[in-house]
Every structure is written in structure tokens, then in C-alpha cells.
């Protein structure tokens, strides 16, 4: 899942970027408010981590603009522990959750997973299709009850498809979801990941819709 981080503290930003990447998230990090605000209009993010005290543009002003323009991406606000009025205002402006600094990385990941799950109308963390089950929180996938060995991008692609059962996802959208702007992406990267997943899950598990993209096959 692709996450937008807007945070001007280098120590916090470095920790979130490195830690969340290990947990399977693809993350774009901006330190200035105006840059982060504009980024949401340029890529298909699954969720946003938003600090409130930012250079260039205040976090609450960013959130207000996004909601006024009908952008409903889930937003997790990071605040100082004593910023009660900011937390309340942020929630009233449309934030979905908040977390006080300092925080544990594992809690950030859990809250992001909950927000993304809620945005997709899911109450349970575990995803399933046919004989395949996937738990994004623990990065565990199984086929007919047996553990699956998946590389990080294979897991991310499988999760994306399983969160969008019944939808045909364009190749370009898949690429944008799997990779951040910092990543070097080969022209056939998505096709390679699909090929590897089919070898592990069966040739009919992922269906190609020619000229459009990919979707899951029948259960």
C-alpha cells in the first residue's frame, strides 16, 4: 500500500520511511507542507500520515483543502501530546485518526492498516479469495493452509488485488500503488510480479484483461 508522509522532523521521517518499508508499505515523504499537499493530487495514495506543525503550510489547512476538494483518503494525524485543541479540530475537519508523539512504529502500522481496511469496507484484517488467505498485519499468506513464500512486491500486489476483488486494476495504477517516486521501476515490473504470483498460485488466479490490466479470477 502506498502512503504519503508529511513530516518535517528528519528523525521521525527517517524512522517511519525505513520502518514502514520493512512492513510492506511504499512511502513518499515530504518535509514541507505545500509539497505534501500537492503530492496527494499526483499519486493514488491509500492513506496519509500528516504532521500538523509544518513549514510552508499548516497541516490543518492542508487537511481542510483536501476535504473541501472531496479527497477522502484516510488521514492519520501526528500531534504533540499536549495539542488537544489541534487534535479536536483535525478530527472535525475530517481526519480519521490521530497519534501522539512519541509513538511506536508498530502502532503506526496497525492504525494505517485499520484505516485502509475501513476505507475498503472491511472489518477483518485477514483477506481471502479461494484457497488463498492473506494477513497484511503479519505479512503472512497461505495457500490451502500452507505458508506461501512471497517477495515484498509480490505480497503487495496480491494484497492490492485482494482488496479490490471484482475490479480490473490498470497496469499503471498497480505500478503507482507498488512503487514510490524514489524507486527505480523497470518497464515490465508489474508483468514480472504477476508471472511469479501465477507460478505460485496457479495460472488462473490472476486474470489479464487485455488492454486494461489485471483482476482476480473466479474463486
Amino acid at each position: 500500500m502506498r502512503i504519503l508522509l508529511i513530516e518535517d522532523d528528519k528523525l521521525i521521517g527517517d524512522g517511519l520511511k525505513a520502518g514502514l518499508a520493512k512492513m510492506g508499505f511504499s512511502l513518499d515523504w515530504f518535509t514541507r507542507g505545500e509539497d505534501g499537499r500537492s503530492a496527494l493530487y499526483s499519486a493514488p495514495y491509500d492513506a496519509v500520515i500528516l504532521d500538523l506543525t509544518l513549514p510552508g503550510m499548516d497541516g490543518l489547512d492542508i487537511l481542510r483543502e483536501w476535504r473541501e476538494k472531496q479527497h477522502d483518503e484516510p488521514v492519520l494525524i501526528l500531534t504533540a501530546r499536549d495539542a488537544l485543541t489541534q487534535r479536536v479540530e483535525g478530527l472535525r475537519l475530517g481526519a480519521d485518526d490521530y497519534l501522539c508523539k512519541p509513538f511506536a512504529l508498530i502502532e503506526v502500522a496497525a492504525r494505517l492498516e485499520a484505516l485502509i481496511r475501513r476505507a475498503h469496507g472491511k472489518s477483518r484484517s485477514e483477506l481471502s479469495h479461494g484457497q488463498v488467505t492473506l494477513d497484511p498485519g503479519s505479512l503472512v499468506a497461505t495457500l490451502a493452509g500452507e505458508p506461501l513464500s512471497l517477495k515484498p512486491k509480490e505480497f503487495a500486489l496480491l494484497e492490492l488485488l485482494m482488496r479490490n476483488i471484482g475490479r480490473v486494476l490498470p497496469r499503471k495504477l498497480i505500478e503507482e500503488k507498488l512503487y514510490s517516486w524514489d524507486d527505480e521501476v523497470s518497464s515490465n515490473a508489474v508483468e514480472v510480479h504477476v508471472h511469479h504470483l501465477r507460478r505460485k498460485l496457479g495460472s488462473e488466479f490472476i486474470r489479464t484483461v487485455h488492454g486494461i490490466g489485471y483482476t482476480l479470477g473466479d474463486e
Side-chain angles (χ1 to χ4, degrees):
M1 298 290 102
R2 189 168 179 179
I3 307 298
L4 171 61
L5 169 64
I6 311 176
E7 168 62 66
D8 66 326
D9 187 300
K10 190 175 188 306
L11 187 62
I12 292 175
D14 281 336
L16 286 172
K17 187 172 178 65
L20 290 176
K22 292 179 180 178
M23 296 180 179
F25 294 94
S26 175
L27 191 140
D28 293 317
W29 172 27
F30 295 88
T31 57
R32 292 187 57 81
E34 293 175 349
D35 296 335
R37 176 205 62 181
S38 301
L40 190 75
Y41 306 133
S42 303
Y45 291 105
D46 294 287
V48 180
I49 303 173
L50 176 65
D51 189 18
L52 295 183
T53 306
L54 295 163
M57 188 175 186
D58 183 76
L60 290 177
D61 291 333
I62 294 172
L63 179 59
R64 182 183 292 108
E65 177 184 312
W66 285 344
R67 295 316 191 217
E68 287 175 352
K69 293 188 176 183
Q70 307 303 311
H71 277 266
D72 58 359
E73 290 85 350
V75 174
L76 172 62
I77 285 181
L78 299 183
T79 71
R81 186 171 296 278
D82 59 351
L84 176 60
T85 57
Q86 284 190 323
R87 297 202 301 271
V88 171
E89 186 176 0
L91 292 170
R92 286 175 173 166
L93 285 174
D96 298 273
D97 198 359
Y98 72 85
L99 195 58
C100 291
K101 301 176 182 178
F103 49 78
L105 179 65
I106 192 171
E107 184 176 6
V108 177
R111 287 176 183 262
L112 287 174
E113 289 158 6
L115 291 179
I116 294 169
R117 186 169 67 245
R118 196 179 308 152
H120 285 81
K122 304 292 185 181
S123 58
R124 299 173 60 230
S125 61
E126 188 177 87
L127 305 172
S128 64
H129 185 72
Q131 292 188 305
V132 176
T133 61
L134 183 147
D135 187 340
S138 60
L139 297 179
V140 171
T142 63
L143 174 62
E146 296 298 322
L148 274 170
S149 178
L150 300 176
K151 294 181 179 179
K153 292 304 181 188
E154 293 170 6
F155 189 97
L157 173 56
L158 181 58
E159 179 184 353
L160 178 62
L161 290 168
M162 292 180 72
R163 287 192 186 277
N164 291 276
I165 294 174
R167 289 183 58 196
V168 178
L169 301 182
R171 178 191 169 282
K172 181 63 175 176
L173 175 63
I174 294 173
E175 184 177 290
E176 290 176 338
K177 289 283 192 179
L178 296 185
Y179 295 96
S180 71
W181 282 321
D182 295 333
D183 294 326
E184 292 185 8
V185 187
S186 63
S187 60
N188 66 336
V190 172
E191 287 80 1
V192 170
H193 298 321
V194 168
H195 173 71
H196 289 162
L197 282 176
R198 282 173 171 160
R199 287 179 58 189
K200 297 174 181 180
L201 304 175
S203 60
E204 302 300 319
F205 191 82
I206 299 175
R207 183 166 60 89
T208 301
V209 180
H210 293 288
I212 302 178
Y214 299 97
T215 187
L216 291 184
D218 295 334
E219 289 192 73

